[in-house]
Amino acid sequence: MPVIAPIPRTERRLMQKTIHKTRDKDHARRLTAMLMLYRGDRVSDVARTLCCARSSVGRWINWFTLSGVEGLKSLPAGRSRRWPFEHICTLLRELVKHSLGNFGYQRSRWSTELLAIKIRDITGCALHASTIRRWLPAAGLVWRRAAPTLCIRDSYIIDVSRPFFITDYP
């Protein structure tokens, strides 16, 4: 007795083509399992052949029964975004158009820390500066590392590279 419902020939051919073309090997394994089950293999044989648990094959059968081939596709990797990404990207573009003097700062260039502070003030989203730096390319903005500042030595500090005399003290 077959475990899954009959699959039309066109859908089977489409599944085989997808198995050969896809880069997602987990999706290919799930499609292969459905084709093996259609062929008449037992769930244990399918699990042994594909090196997976029988419960996984049972879960794939449920997905296939409920949603068809679309139910076997993999979800995108990672977790979903927590913050309103598109809204913050447009806000970043608008903030960079203005100078820092408009907001009461004395600096001449935007930093990711200042952008994070302004976004927190405007939206209430407590984003970290490194998150803003990762999102800048998606907003179409270029981030460059800050130039190192010069350390101008005070004149009263003794330079050890030259001989000093008592008159060298300030």
Side-chain angles (χ1 to χ4, degrees):
M1 181 174 170
V3 179
I4 58 173
I7 305 171
R9 183 171 187 263
T10 56
E11 192 172 355
R12 285 195 316 266
R13 293 191 67 177
L14 184 65
M15 289 168 70
Q16 288 175 341
K17 185 176 181 180
T18 305
I19 289 170
H20 293 294
K21 295 273 185 177
T22 185
R23 291 185 177 270
D24 183 12
K25 294 307 167 193
D26 290 330
H27 185 221
R29 283 176 72 197
R30 291 189 283 268
L31 291 172
T32 304
M34 293 306 110
L35 290 175
M36 290 175 71
L37 289 168
Y38 174 78
R39 194 172 58 195
D41 293 351
R42 294 180 304 153
V43 172
S44 298
D45 296 335
V46 172
R48 190 176 305 111
T49 304
L50 297 178
C51 299
C52 64
R54 289 179 313 186
S55 60
S56 296
V57 176
R59 190 174 347 110
W60 299 343
I61 292 169
N62 289 338
W63 293 350
F64 184 73
T65 304
L66 293 175
S67 306
V69 178
E70 294 296 319
L72 298 176
K73 288 187 177 178
S74 298
L75 297 174
R79 64 180 182 190
S80 60
R81 291 205 162 117
R82 183 176 161 197
W83 304 111
F85 176 72
E86 292 79 16
H87 176 66
I88 291 177
C89 282
T90 56
L91 184 60
L92 282 172
R93 284 188 222 103
E94 290 301 317
L95 281 175
V96 172
K97 288 179 184 177
H98 300 287
S99 69
L100 285 166
N102 296 348
F103 298 104
Y105 294 106
Q106 294 180 352
R107 297 182 55 145
S108 61
R109 298 181 104 177
W110 282 101
S111 66
T112 53
E113 288 82 8
L114 281 175
L115 286 170
I117 290 169
K118 291 312 294 178
I119 287 175
R120 187 179 312 123
D121 292 344
I122 295 170
T123 63
C125 296
L127 292 174
H128 196 270
S130 62
T131 304
I132 302 245
R133 189 171 60 241
R134 282 186 287 120
W135 287 2
L136 285 177
L141 301 171
V142 178
W143 177 80
R144 283 182 279 164
R145 190 174 301 280
T149 57
L150 295 175
C151 180
I152 301 172
R153 298 182 62 91
D154 291 331
S155 61
Y156 61 87
I157 296 178
I158 300 172
D159 188 8
V160 293
S161 64
R162 64 181 180 92
F164 66 93
F165 298 100
I166 294 186
T167 59
D168 287 344
Y169 290 117

